[in-house]
Amino acid sequence: MTGEQALRPAPDIDIALHRSRIEEAERRMRRSGWRGHLPQRGHLVLMPLSIIMVLPFAWMVLTSFMTNS
């Protein structure tokens, strides 16, 4: 028996809609090229904020190793 023969669709499910959703999910997973490596909009906000949050801690560490003179 093949996979198509073994799986019987439920009577209340629209097969075309189901297949279109599967194709859409597969298309999104295949997304490649330069657009797949771009940061999302949220990252453009979070990256500068994270730098601002880390700077005081870096300042503390650096000044803790400084001498009084």
Side-chain angles (χ1 to χ4, degrees):
M1 240 193 300
T2 65
E4 292 274 333
Q5 294 170 343
L7 297 174
R8 303 275 181 204
D12 58 342
I13 295 177
D14 183 14
I15 296 298
L17 178 64
H18 182 68
R19 287 181 194 239
S20 68
R21 287 182 180 168
I22 291 174
E23 289 171 2
E24 176 69 19
E26 288 174 349
R27 185 186 63 78
R28 287 183 182 176
M29 287 182 3
R30 281 193 310 261
R31 191 167 133 180
S32 62
W34 62 271
R35 287 192 303 175
H37 300 290
L38 285 179
Q40 295 177 357
R41 281 181 263 162
H43 293 134
L44 297 176
V45 173
L46 291 175
M47 288 189 325
L49 287 176
S50 65
I51 291 170
I52 291 170
M53 297 293 285
V54 169
L55 282 177
F57 294 107
W59 185 272
M60 268 194 313
V61 171
L62 290 175
T63 57
S64 70
F65 291 111
M66 290 183 182
T67 60
N68 289 335
S69 56

